[in-house]
Each structure stands twice: as C-alpha cells, then as structure tokens.
Amino acid sequence: METKKYHSIPNGVDTDLFSPAKSDKEKILLRSKLGLPIDIDLILFVGHFSVEKSALHLLNTWLELHEKNSTSQSGIVFIGSTNSNKFEVDIDTVNTIKLKSKEFVNSKLFFIEETNNIEEYYRATDIYVLSSVREGLPNTLLEAMSCALPVISSRLDDITDWVIDDGVDGFLYNPGDINRLSLLLENLLRDVNLRKNIGFNARKTIKSRF
C-alpha cells in the first residue's frame, strides 16, 4: 500500500492572541490608545512599501472612492516600513504615496512604521486588504482572518485562493483590478452585517484549518 511521502503543512495562527475585540467598547479603547479616530471605518494594510505589496493600488482605489464621496467616513491604516535603506522598500512608491496622501495624513490616513502589537491594530480596524501581486502564504492574511476581520485579497493562484472561499470567508479580486477592489470596498463599508458575517466565517476558517 502506497503512502504519501510529502505533506503540505501551512502556516499556523495563535487564535488566542489573534482574536477579535470582545465589544465595541474594547475597540474604541484600542483606537484611543493607538491614536486612531473612533468615528470612521478603518481599512488596514500591512506590508512594506514595495512594488509587489501594491499599497499604492489600495490608496488610489480609496482616493477614487473618496472623490465620489463613497468613503467619506472611512480611512486607511498603513503598517509598514518606508525606510528606503531596506531592500524591500521602493522609494518611488513611498514618495508617490506621501504626495497623494498628504491632505489626509493623521485624519483619515495613518502610517505606522512598525509595531510589536499588531494584534491590537487588527482588533481596532474594520476591513483588511491584501493587495500584493506576489506572496508566499501571507501570515498577515491569516492573522486578520483570525481576528474576524472581513478580508479582501488579490487572487494569487494556489495561495490566497486556497485560503479564501470567495464570498464566504473573504473576497478575491484579480491583481490590479481597481474596479473590482473599489466595488468590494464600497460593499463592505456600507454593509455592517456583511462585514460581521464574512468576519465570523473567516475566523471559523482559521480555527478549523490553520
């Protein structure tokens, strides 16, 4: 009888550490602690400001929505290094993001260079976006899902589409498809119940598979 010699073991998540806020009160307290506004919906991005992580893609999408007044009560928290001495960081991307975001910095757009308590940012925000064009199995995606955040991720074959059941425990879009990302963001920003349902299913997926 033949047995498989190789088994795929995915990354795992500490679901006790990466757990959702227990109440709206806890979420408000966390935002106050982290210096984030308590009266708008916050989108979270985690990753270096590299070409491959595509933070600029998310910012451009949000800016377009903001011009249409679709995201007037929302903002983005960017967690990632802008230090050009780090090989992953693309200085042109950093400069473009700084230029485009300056009107909204510290009111609707927030930049965190690094943190040792990233789980607090997952608990304090409302939507997680992974806009990368290339990844391994991204821990940040798994951590966000474990914290019951509704996630929107670029569709990366056999990676993110292996983690996410599109429309059930998260949403997928083709890398660079700004129209699809825009639509998904609008839907989640407008529909709190949809966010809760997708987030609930996301944590369920992590607890059962990761």
Side-chain angles (χ1 to χ4, degrees):
M1 179 177 175
E2 254 185 62
T3 59
K4 289 184 179 179
K5 292 182 179 180
Y6 302 102
H7 299 273
S8 175
I9 302 175
N11 297 344
V13 182
D14 181 343
T15 54
D16 291 328
L17 177 62
F18 295 100
S19 59
K22 294 180 175 63
S23 65
D24 289 340
K25 182 179 179 181
E26 181 185 349
K27 196 169 188 175
I28 290 170
L29 288 172
L30 274 172
R31 287 197 182 189
S32 297
K33 174 186 173 182
L34 298 170
L36 300 174
I38 62 173
D39 55 349
I40 64 174
D41 294 318
L42 289 174
I43 301 155
L44 180 63
F45 171 94
V46 180
H48 291 301
F49 289 87
S50 65
V51 174
E52 291 181 337
K53 294 291 184 183
S54 303
L56 184 56
H57 175 67
L58 171 59
L59 177 61
N60 285 337
T61 303
W62 183 85
L63 288 170
E64 283 195 16
L65 286 173
H66 195 273
E67 283 182 13
K68 297 190 328 187
N69 204 35
S70 297
T71 58
S72 59
Q73 295 304 311
S74 72
I76 307 176
V77 178
F78 291 97
I79 299 179
S81 178
T82 60
N83 185 348
S84 59
N85 291 325
K86 296 186 177 181
F87 77 92
E88 303 101 327
V89 175
D90 177 66
I91 192 60
D92 290 334
T93 297
V94 171
N95 290 337
T96 302
I97 285 175
K98 284 182 176 179
L99 181 65
K100 289 191 170 191
S101 63
K102 63 181 180 179
E103 177 185 348
F104 304 102
V105 170
N106 294 330
S107 61
K108 292 187 176 181
L109 300 176
F110 303 85
F111 294 88
I112 314 299
E113 280 289 316
E114 58 183 358
T115 176
N116 293 320
N117 304 299
I118 195 168
E119 70 279 359
E120 294 184 343
Y121 286 91
Y122 291 128
R123 292 190 192 113
T125 51
D126 301 289
I127 299 167
Y128 179 78
V129 175
L130 186 141
S131 49
S132 303
V133 297
R134 188 167 71 88
E135 286 280 357
L137 180 57
N139 283 327
T140 58
L141 177 65
L142 304 182
E143 291 165 359
M145 292 174 71
S146 185
C147 290
L149 274 179
V151 299
I152 301 172
S153 173
S154 51
R155 184 189 297 274
L156 304 175
D157 292 343
D158 299 323
I159 300 171
T160 58
D161 64 356
W162 178 72
V163 176
I164 294 172
D165 185 358
D166 190 20
V168 176
D169 53 14
F171 294 99
L172 297 169
Y173 73 99
N174 292 327
D177 187 348
I178 196 168
N179 292 326
R180 174 69 174 161
L181 176 56
S182 177
L183 178 63
L184 292 171
L185 273 176
E186 273 190 298
N187 288 343
L188 284 175
L189 287 168
R190 288 174 177 169
D191 193 335
V192 175
N193 287 329
L194 177 62
R195 294 205 304 250
K196 288 180 178 176
N197 290 337
I198 295 295
F200 176 84
N201 291 337
R203 180 160 171 81
K204 193 174 174 182
T205 292
I206 296 303
K207 290 186 80 172
S208 64
R209 293 179 55 205
F210 299 94

